[in-house]
Amino acid sequence: AFLGLLYSLVLCVCAIYSSTPDVTRKASYHALTKHRLLQGMTGFATSLVLKVFVRTSITIALQTIFTVVGLVAALSFGLPAVYMACTGQTMLESNFPMKEYVQIKPQVYCPLGPGFYHRGVQSNLRDILGPRWWMRLILPCRGGLLEPHVALAPRPSLAGANAVVSRVKQVEQEGVVQEVRSCEQLGINP
């Protein structure tokens, strides 16, 4: 989405700068702007669209508006998702840290901390986009077959695996410090 919208914006800018203003539309633009009804952010946006319309056509003006609105939406919704994918987190892990547990022995649960699945940006993005990730960035196609372990049993990072192994050893040596009788004690409401 980012690349397609940026491509559209570049085409709109090229069309705007390569065209010459229409004299008849320029007179109507000056008639609209002399009334001072267009002020503030709305006035700025309207004035900008009218200037684009004077230089090109209504098609390019509307394409520019929709491209800018789409780019703002894609960036505001997409950048957090890309960040989460790069760091190997889900929104649940980010919003509710230490609420995901793994059962290491019967009635023994260990919380998974933030970054448990962070195996590096390149590895995390390859898991999501597939082995031919570069094709997905250029063309709207599949990046190859995704392995099912990515969704069903994601691989932990080396630090995350070491933390769970050390917790298992600690439980074997010291025993259980706090016993859990139900899921509600962990903050999980089934």
Side-chain angles (χ1 to χ4, degrees):
F2 300 135
L3 294 177
L5 288 168
L6 285 175
Y7 177 71
S8 175
L9 191 61
V10 165
L11 288 180
C12 289
V13 169
C14 289
I16 292 167
Y17 282 114
S18 67
S19 62
T20 57
D22 188 358
V23 178
T24 58
R25 285 191 231 151
K26 197 170 192 176
S28 62
Y29 168 74
H30 287 298
L32 280 172
T33 56
K34 76 177 183 180
H35 292 293
R36 300 279 180 213
L37 293 174
L38 307 172
Q39 296 179 357
M41 190 64 168
T42 308
F44 171 74
T46 307
S47 175
L48 190 65
V49 169
L50 288 174
K51 285 182 182 179
V52 170
F53 175 65
V54 167
R55 286 191 66 90
T56 59
S57 67
I58 192 68
T59 307
I60 301 297
L62 289 175
Q63 179 71 27
T64 306
I65 291 169
F66 292 137
T67 298
V68 168
V69 169
L71 190 60
V72 168
L75 288 174
S76 61
F77 295 126
L79 285 180
V82 170
Y83 172 76
M84 292 292 171
C86 290
T87 58
Q89 294 183 31
T90 63
M91 287 301 239
L92 288 174
E93 287 175 307
S94 174
N95 293 336
F96 306 105
M98 304 298 281
K99 293 289 184 183
E100 185 178 7
Y101 294 88
V102 62
Q103 184 175 3
I104 55 177
K105 290 185 177 254
Q107 296 296 322
V108 179
Y109 296 90
C110 175
L112 301 180
F116 183 76
Y117 297 109
H118 183 51
R119 297 183 310 136
V121 174
Q122 187 177 12
S123 178
N124 289 340
L125 288 179
R126 184 172 288 132
D127 281 346
I128 293 171
L129 296 175
R132 294 184 315 190
W133 57 269
W134 51 273
M135 286 290 287
R136 292 189 77 168
L137 295 179
I138 296 171
L139 301 170
C141 65
R142 296 178 117 186
L145 293 175
L146 295 177
E147 298 177 22
H149 77 82
V150 174
L152 300 176
R155 295 182 182 134
S157 65
L158 184 60
N162 289 338
V164 171
V165 168
S166 67
R167 184 60 63 144
V168 169
K169 288 179 182 176
Q170 179 186 5
V171 168
E172 288 174 351
Q173 292 173 355
E174 299 174 11
V176 177
V177 177
Q178 181 181 359
E179 195 169 316
V180 176
R181 300 264 183 234
S182 67
C183 295
E184 287 83 16
Q185 288 179 334
L186 296 176
I188 301 171
N189 297 323

